[in-house]
Amino acid sequence: MNYVIHACNKRMWYVEDYLIPSMKEQGIPDTDIAVHMDDRYRGCLFATLDSFLKCGRKQISAWHLQDDVAISLDFARKTRENDSGIVCGFWHRHEGEADLKAETRGIDMRYSFPCIRVPWEVCRDFVEWFYGEAAKRDEYRRWITAGKYVDSFFRDYIREKRPDDPVLNLIPSIVEHVDWLIGGSTINKWRSGICRADQWEDESIIEDLREQLALRKRGAF
């Protein structure tokens, strides 16, 4: 099993003090967890591409997590039981989207970068597609200049190059987005809404985290 946490410097306190300990509490060993730090300040897009390139070269298929999620009570079990192919562990309903189906194809890929399992071959081919094709397209120029939208690039790649590949959506979600609890989005400063999972059953995790963060803020620990 492999887990890769995509992190920036501003979020390492959360990754080290909350996210990784919560994973270890469920029996995930340290040796299975890697942190890909954007220590060169490349931005979300290029830091993720760097991580995918490394996974492709080293043939590492992994669960990729963002640094602003909380995991479900059955996260370790669900990831262990579904450790093959492309698996989406998070879903937020966007306007106009239909209900989510558990088993689908690449053409119907949704956004799931807070938690997604990506085979190493897909990592390799995605990076090749980005630099070989997408980076040369005018319609992507704004995204590349912004250094964001890696989830949109990945969805476009899957829909274009792997439309018939099986994609599994885990229902309910196995992570919840908690950027709103730990300082807000580090990428989209304009976003005022909260991007939470539409299907999430472990609200007690969020309440416990809220209490721990409140104690931390008061200097209780």
Side-chain angles (χ1 to χ4, degrees):
M1 292 287 293
N2 295 292
Y3 301 87
V4 177
I5 300 171
H6 296 253
C8 64
N9 285 306
K10 290 183 177 179
R11 287 274 171 75
M12 277 306 297
W13 66 271
Y14 176 74
V15 170
E16 293 177 339
D17 294 346
Y18 296 93
L19 180 53
I20 290 178
S22 71
M23 296 170 70
K24 292 169 66 176
E25 284 177 4
Q26 294 191 17
I28 298 174
D30 275 324
T31 52
D32 288 358
I33 304 171
V35 176
H36 183 80
M37 167 69 76
D38 182 17
D39 50 11
R40 292 190 293 160
Y41 299 95
R42 300 254 291 156
C44 181
L45 172 60
F46 291 102
T48 302
L49 288 165
D50 290 345
S51 173
F52 277 28
L53 178 62
K54 183 183 297 184
C55 287
R57 286 177 173 171
K58 294 186 176 182
Q59 299 188 6
I60 297 172
S61 299
W63 287 88
H64 294 260
L65 303 173
Q66 291 182 339
D67 59 8
D68 57 0
V69 298
I71 63 173
S72 65
L73 294 171
D74 57 1
F75 174 85
R77 178 177 65 83
K78 288 287 185 66
T79 54
R80 189 168 56 247
E81 292 176 349
N82 297 281
D83 194 36
S84 64
I86 299 174
V87 187
C88 300
F90 174 91
W91 177 56
H92 170 80
R93 184 190 297 273
H94 292 270
E95 185 176 353
E97 287 186 332
D99 289 341
L100 191 69
K101 296 180 180 179
E103 296 183 2
T104 186
R105 299 181 303 143
I107 193 66
D108 296 315
M109 179 89 179
R110 305 288 182 93
Y111 295 108
S112 187
F113 259 48
C115 175
I116 186 169
R117 184 192 186 277
V118 186
W120 70 265
E121 303 96 331
V122 177
C123 288
R124 176 198 62 198
D125 295 348
F126 171 57
V127 174
E128 290 180 357
W129 171 82
F130 177 85
Y131 286 109
E133 298 184 40
K136 301 174 183 178
R137 298 179 185 176
D138 289 340
E139 63 264 33
Y140 288 140
R141 189 173 301 167
R142 181 177 61 86
W143 290 2
I144 293 171
T145 300
K148 302 187 296 186
Y149 307 105
V150 64
D151 50 353
S152 297
F153 274 114
F154 187 75
R155 189 184 68 160
D156 285 2
Y157 156 73
I158 293 294
R159 289 181 169 184
E160 179 179 323
K161 298 296 185 180
R162 296 176 176 267
D164 295 318
D165 279 16
V167 174
L168 177 64
N169 296 305
L170 296 184
I171 303 173
S173 295
I174 59 171
V175 306
E176 176 61 293
H177 201 210
V178 295
D179 66 342
W180 53 283
L181 276 177
I182 57 175
S185 173
T186 61
I187 300 173
N188 297 314
K189 294 300 185 182
W190 50 266
R191 190 169 69 200
S192 58
I194 297 175
C195 182
R196 297 197 61 178
D198 275 50
Q199 292 159 329
W200 168 258
E201 294 185 346
D202 293 332
E203 193 61 21
S204 63
I205 294 290
I206 307 304
E207 293 306 315
D208 288 346
L209 177 60
R210 191 197 303 270
E211 292 178 6
Q212 292 178 49
L213 292 173
L215 288 171
R216 180 189 182 98
K217 188 174 182 178
R218 293 200 297 267
F221 66 90

